[in-house]
Amino acid sequence: MIKNIEIVSLSRGIIGEPFVAHELELGKKRLQDMGLNVRFSEHALMGLDYIKNHPEARAADLIRAYSNPDVDMILCAIGGDDTYRLLPYLFKNDGLKKVVNDKIFLGFSDSTMNHFMLHKLGVKTFYGQSFLSDVCELESDMLPYSKKFFEELISTGTIKEIRPSDVWYEERINFDEDQIGVPRVMHDNNGFELLQGSPVFSGKILGGCIDSMYDIFNNERYDDSVSLCSEYNLFPPLEDWRGRILLLESSEEKPTPDKYKKMLGELKKYGLFDVVSGVLVGKPMDEIHAADYKKLLVEVIDNPNLPVLFNVNIGHATPRCIIPFGVPAVVDAEKQLIKFSVEK
């Protein structure tokens, strides 16, 4: 049972800004009502400019959170786009390696980079939710599907299985205080969609936001992301991917089909689709470009025997499940089920 949770701003410092104060308080109260003691890392609330300009402070917060025996769970405040800049401050002197342990780490979006950093050190992590995006939801409570997984994680320390959500929600365009209690627009969800391959496949899951992964291979966003990620061998070597299930989900930028094709192309060029046992794909936010993405996945992967399961409730579309990385998983498209087993 998780008791003490620390919230870290490893990417964007938005939770320190006055315009999200109402969301911050909402989220703190929800966590406290779940019986959790909530603390924020030293720099987490210092705002957008400070966090952007001080990757060393972000890295120090993560190291301290892992080294503090009173912290049971590390929860990312939100994603962002430059978490790769933490690499030298975490790895140059083995600062992170010296303190990592098996406490829960949960985040998604650009936190994909943090998941890869921790994977390098043999740490199992959890992908799929963040403090601001999920716990601070402006509805009268967390979205029920999201809350179910969050409560399972804090009460059992793991996730047993995932089934599709019955519904999906349109993203909010207004997060002002007067939106507290205003429900989201809701639609029926179609469940998991098998695009190709065997309906049953297995392996340990790894991956995350395809936009963040693309930054490891391409300097369109930052001119040093490729060199820095290469210097620290952030992306797992091909042999490490063998037999794994690749998780892909797309960002709130709703990449165009052309951009999505380029991003998939980088992963294909690396050889991922030659070694993984299957691919899980998160529902795109607001279902934008969903039909195009499905066609492109089949076209770019160009291997009809590789299972590809689309429309998983993970990533930037709401509601969100939580996926354990590094745990044996069995995917069954016919049963609409992903089951996880805990290794002894």
Side-chain angles (χ1 to χ4, degrees):
M1 179 75 179
I2 301 301
K3 285 295 183 186
N4 303 307
I5 187 167
E6 180 159 330
I7 297 163
V8 293
S9 293
L10 302 179
S11 222
R12 247 182 127 217
I14 193 170
I15 62 166
E17 296 295 329
F19 61 82
V20 299
H22 58 289
E23 295 177 81
L24 182 75
E25 291 307 312
L26 199 61
K28 278 170 57 180
K29 184 176 187 309
R30 283 193 184 136
L31 293 177
Q32 289 164 350
D33 288 346
M34 291 178 192
L36 296 167
N37 301 314
V38 185
R39 56 174 286 161
F40 293 86
S41 62
E42 181 180 346
H43 304 98
L45 299 175
M46 297 191 73
L48 288 165
D49 288 344
Y50 183 90
I51 290 297
K52 183 174 182 60
N53 294 323
H54 293 279
E56 78 287 351
R58 293 182 254 164
D61 282 351
L62 182 61
I63 289 170
R64 274 193 290 268
Y66 266 109
S67 61
N68 186 346
D70 294 329
V71 174
D72 302 316
M73 174 176 173
I74 301 169
L75 175 62
C76 292
I78 196 170
D81 62 15
D82 73 343
T83 315
Y84 76 93
R85 295 173 61 208
L86 276 60
L87 280 164
Y89 306 104
L90 293 173
F91 287 94
K92 246 180 190 169
N93 298 308
D94 286 338
L96 185 59
K97 183 179 181 179
K98 292 170 183 172
V99 298
V100 288
N101 48 63
D102 61 358
K103 68 182 65 178
I104 290 171
F105 178 92
L106 175 62
F108 79 104
S109 189
D110 196 48
S111 304
T112 297
M113 299 289 201
N114 302 124
H115 287 279
F116 284 146
M117 293 172 192
L118 292 164
H119 175 77
K120 268 176 64 72
L121 301 175
V123 179
K124 295 173 184 172
T125 57
F126 292 85
Y127 191 91
Q129 296 185 10
S130 70
F131 175 65
L132 190 60
S133 303
D134 295 281
V135 181
C136 302
E137 165 60 45
L138 291 173
E139 284 209 12
S140 56
D141 199 353
M142 287 180 68
L143 300 176
Y145 182 86
S146 303
K147 185 177 183 179
K148 176 177 81 75
F149 287 99
F150 188 83
E151 289 187 327
E152 180 183 357
L153 183 59
I154 63 171
S155 61
T156 70
T158 190
I159 299 294
K160 184 179 179 183
E161 64 179 40
I162 293 168
R163 296 182 186 272
S165 171
D166 293 332
V167 299
W168 66 273
Y169 304 87
E170 292 182 18
E171 186 50 68
R172 292 182 185 275
I173 56 173
N174 183 351
F175 293 84
D176 293 344
E177 192 167 359
D178 63 8
Q179 296 300 298
I180 293 177
V182 175
R184 292 184 181 228
V185 178
M186 188 167 57
H187 301 272
D188 289 338
N189 187 40
N190 291 329
F192 301 153
E193 301 175 39
L194 184 68
L195 302 187
Q196 62 175 37
S198 169
V200 180
F201 54 101
S202 61
K204 296 178 181 180
I205 301 173
L206 186 63
C209 181
I210 190 171
D211 307 61
S212 295
M213 287 189 243
Y214 186 59
D215 291 342
I216 299 175
F217 299 98
N218 187 283
N219 284 329
E220 281 179 20
R221 193 188 303 271
Y222 290 106
D223 61 11
D224 65 343
S225 63
V226 174
S227 59
L228 203 54
C229 292
S230 175
E231 180 181 351
Y232 290 95
N233 300 306
L234 179 63
F235 202 72
L238 205 56
E239 195 54 38
D240 192 3
W241 286 100
R242 191 170 299 278
R244 292 188 187 274
I245 297 172
L246 172 63
L247 171 66
L248 297 176
E249 57 94 3
S250 48
S251 78
E252 77 284 357
E253 294 176 359
K254 302 174 184 175
T256 65
D258 283 346
K259 177 72 177 287
Y260 195 73
K261 185 175 183 179
K262 285 173 67 177
M263 294 191 293
L264 285 173
E266 288 291 350
L267 301 181
K268 182 176 177 64
K269 193 191 307 179
Y270 191 76
L272 278 194
F273 302 125
D274 297 325
V275 298
V276 296
S277 64
V279 183
L280 296 179
V281 187
K283 176 191 282 292
M285 184 183 279
D286 295 330
E287 291 197 337
I288 300 295
H289 303 310
D292 289 312
Y293 290 178
K294 286 190 275 189
K295 289 176 187 172
L296 287 167
L297 283 157
V298 172
E299 174 190 320
V300 175
I301 290 173
D302 193 25
N303 175 6
N305 295 318
L306 181 65
V308 179
L309 191 74
F310 193 81
N311 204 47
V312 181
N313 299 108
I314 190 74
H316 286 75
T318 49
R320 286 179 268 266
C321 67
I322 294 172
I323 289 182
F325 283 170
V327 172
V330 177
V331 179
D332 191 323
E334 291 176 348
K335 291 182 179 177
Q336 295 280 290
L337 177 66
I338 305 171
K339 283 188 73 77
F340 302 96
S341 58
V342 179
E343 292 180 307
K344 301 298 181 186

